[in-house]
């Protein structure tokens, strides 16, 4: 039977004591002496699953006959750099519940020497988990939320705002509708910029403005085989594993693009469109799709495709959008074909929508 659950009932914590556990630190440390964000992304996905199962348990704490899958990641913001000589606490809880889905908010906070968590989180994340009946695979109803006070009602209201923003964005996707008037002006200005430096060579219709790179020249890819060690409880590839590999490829591409070390800022919302089977051959393709040189930020899209060997075809499973900043000059990425223009506008939309969601997530921390 379903039971009413408070937000606090789902509270789940995990610790990453990098300062105290040298062996753990060695597993997470990067070449710069900081923390590998890709490894943390895996931990966030694991914690979101633990929170979901805790909320779905009955009054005695026994698990219901349901399984949870990560349906989407709404946003993962890095507020401040993670240090290798610091202990951290991961704290997750349910902040919204539908019929078979729930939204989970996670914070990562530095721990003081006295063992207390700092007030300001270093990282905030939002996951959407979906329940399926363990035996039929159909949607399964989960425990509803009992809102205890005004603070919890405010949390749920902010979660609903984020859901509405996502729904509005999905309804106006470039796959269904052409660019709006403002976006057409943006593309036209980019085209005019290339015309200003046009040369007179026959067949040369456009040339790059200074400090610019053609979007189609920013591609970098990698291929991996999915082994059983990367499986989840459903015997599919663990979503956090995909996020880590996508992040590491985007970091490599960003390094080449800026000729310096890029800094991760955020992972924008995306959905896990299709599960990936163990043994699959995965191709990751990254591309710089949008940049703001004036703010020294840029966006990298990473697509994940399963390669089907017998048919020599691919099937798209995910598209990740990572936002980076750079201490050095960020080139302006310029689309040349219509396809690249749509990629550019999608990256621009993600950057703008991400700023709104980031503000709403900040409001949830207050």
């Amino acid at each position: 039977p379903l039971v009413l659950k408070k937000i606090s009932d789902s509270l789940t914590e995990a610790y990453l004591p990098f300062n105290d556990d040298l062996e753990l630190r060695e597993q997470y440390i990067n070449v710069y002496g900081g923390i590998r964000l890709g490894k943390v992304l895996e931990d966030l996905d694991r914690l979101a699953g633990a929170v979901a199962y805790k909320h779905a348990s009955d009054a005695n704490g026994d698990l219901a006959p349901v399984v949870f899958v990560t349906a989407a990641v709404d946003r993962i913001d890095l507020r401040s750099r993670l240090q290798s000589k610091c202990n951290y606490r991961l704290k997750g809880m349910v902040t919204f519940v539908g019929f078979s889905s729930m939204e989970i908010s996670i914070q990562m906070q530095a721990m003081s020497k006295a063992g207390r968590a700092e007030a300001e989180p270093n990282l905030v994340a939002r996951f959407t988990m979906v329940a399926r009946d363990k035996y039929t695979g159909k949607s399964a109803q989960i425990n509803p939320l009992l809102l205890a006070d005004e603070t919890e009602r405010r949390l749920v209201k902010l979660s609903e705002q984020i859901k509405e923003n996502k729904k509005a964005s999905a309804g106006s996707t470039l796959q269904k509708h052409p660019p709006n008037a403002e976006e057409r002006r943006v593309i036209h200005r980019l085209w005019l910029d290339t015309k200003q430096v046009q040369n007179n060579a026959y067949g040369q219709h456009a040339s790059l403005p200074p400090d610019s790179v053609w979007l189609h020249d920013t591609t970098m890819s990698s291929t991996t085989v999915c082994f059983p060690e990367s499986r989840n409880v459903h015997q599919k590839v663990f979503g956090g594993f995909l996020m880590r590999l996508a992040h590491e490829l985007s970091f490599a591409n960003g390094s080449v693009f800026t000729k310096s070390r890029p800094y991760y800022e955020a992972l924008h919302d995306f959905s896990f469109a299709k599960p990936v089977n163990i043994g699959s051959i995965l191709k990751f393709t990254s591309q710089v799709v949008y940049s703001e040189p004036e703010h020294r930020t840029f966006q990298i899209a990473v697509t994940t495709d399963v390669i089907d060997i017998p048919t020599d075809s691919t099937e798209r499973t995910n598209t990740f959008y990572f936002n980076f900043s750079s201490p050095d000059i960020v080139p302006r990425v310029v689309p040349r074909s219509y396809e690249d223009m749509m990629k550019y506008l999608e990256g621009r939309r993600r950057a703008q929508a991400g700023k709104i969601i980031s503000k709403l997530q900040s409001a949830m921390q207050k």
Side-chain angles (χ1 to χ4, degrees), residues 310-326:
T311 62
D312 193 26
S313 61
T314 60
E315 184 177 32
R316 181 68 44 84
T317 63
N318 300 97
T319 301
F320 304 92
Y321 287 87
F322 294 93
N323 199 52
F324 288 93
S325 63
S326 173

Side-chain angles (χ1 to χ4, degrees), residues 16 18 27-30 34-45 76-83 88 108 122-124 240 243-248 250-251 261-267 322-324:
L16 294 172
F18 298 129
Q27 296 173 23
Y28 282 73
I29 200 165
N30 61 31
I35 296 301
R36 291 171 58 189
L37 249 298
K39 295 279 287 181
V40 175
L41 294 179
E42 290 184 319
D43 294 330
L44 295 175
D45 194 25
I76 301 177
D77 272 307
L78 184 65
R79 302 282 181 81
S80 57
R81 310 292 171 215
L82 302 180
Q83 307 298 321
Y88 291 95
M108 185 172 183
N122 300 79
L123 179 149
V124 293
M243 287 195 288
R244 176 173 67 81
L245 292 187
H247 171 264
E248 290 172 353
S250 67
F251 176 86
R261 176 192 177 184
Y263 289 92
Y264 169 94
E265 298 291 335
L267 171 58
F322 294 93
N323 199 52
F324 288 93

Side-chain angles (χ1 to χ4, degrees), residues 204-247:
Q204 186 71 41
H205 301 296
S207 297
L208 272 174
D211 300 321
S212 300
V213 177
W214 290 120
L215 191 150
H216 66 253
D217 287 333
T218 65
T219 300
M220 182 180 290
S221 62
S222 66
T223 306
T224 189
V225 179
C226 301
F227 292 105
E229 66 177 353
S230 304
R231 66 179 180 267
N232 58 22
V233 295
H234 318 298
Q235 305 305 308
K236 302 292 183 180
V237 173
F238 170 50
F241 172 76
L242 301 178
M243 287 195 288
R244 176 173 67 81
L245 292 187
H247 171 264

Side-chain angles (χ1 to χ4, degrees), residues 46-228:
R46 289 190 188 95
L47 181 62
V51 172
Y53 280 106
K54 189 173 182 179
H55 176 79
S57 62
D58 62 21
N60 299 319
D62 295 326
L63 290 179
V66 297
V67 293
F68 283 95
V69 294
T70 307
V73 174
D74 296 335
R75 177 85 174 176
I76 301 177
D77 272 307
L78 184 65
R79 302 282 181 81
S80 57
R81 310 292 171 215
L82 302 180
Q83 307 298 321
S84 59
K85 294 184 179 180
C86 185
N87 297 329
Y88 291 95
R89 179 184 72 175
L90 297 173
K91 181 179 72 171
M93 58 187 177
V94 173
T95 52
F96 181 84
V97 171
F99 177 83
S100 62
S101 66
M102 66 176 75
E103 293 189 4
I104 294 168
S105 296
I106 298 175
Q107 295 183 21
M108 185 172 183
Q109 298 162 292
M111 303 293 290
S112 68
K113 291 182 179 179
R116 296 189 182 90
E118 300 291 342
E120 288 297 318
N122 300 79
L123 179 149
V124 293
R126 289 177 58 81
F127 285 75
T128 299
M129 309 294 290
V130 174
R132 296 282 182 263
D133 187 278
K134 188 175 181 178
Y135 305 106
T136 66
K138 296 180 179 179
S139 296
Q141 188 174 2
I142 54 178
N143 294 326
L145 269 183
L146 172 65
L147 303 180
D149 53 35
E150 189 58 38
T151 300
E152 293 189 354
R153 281 188 282 272
R154 181 170 166 271
L155 275 177
V156 171
K157 188 175 181 180
L158 288 169
S159 292
E160 289 174 338
Q161 281 184 257
I162 293 174
K163 281 175 66 69
E164 288 303 315
N165 281 330
K166 284 183 62 179
K167 191 181 295 184
S169 297
S172 60
T173 174
L174 290 167
Q175 300 286 347
K176 299 178 181 177
H177 302 283
N180 60 39
E182 181 191 354
E183 290 170 335
R184 292 196 293 271
R185 286 193 292 269
V186 168
I187 292 300
H188 190 69
R189 281 199 301 269
L190 285 170
W191 177 76
L192 288 176
D193 288 343
T194 65
K195 287 296 182 183
Q196 289 176 4
V197 292
Q198 178 180 349
N199 62 42
N200 295 319
Y202 180 76
Q204 186 71 41
H205 301 296
S207 297
L208 272 174
D211 300 321
S212 300
V213 177
W214 290 120
L215 191 150
H216 66 253
D217 287 333
T218 65
T219 300
M220 182 180 290
S221 62
S222 66
T223 306
T224 189
V225 179
C226 301
F227 292 105

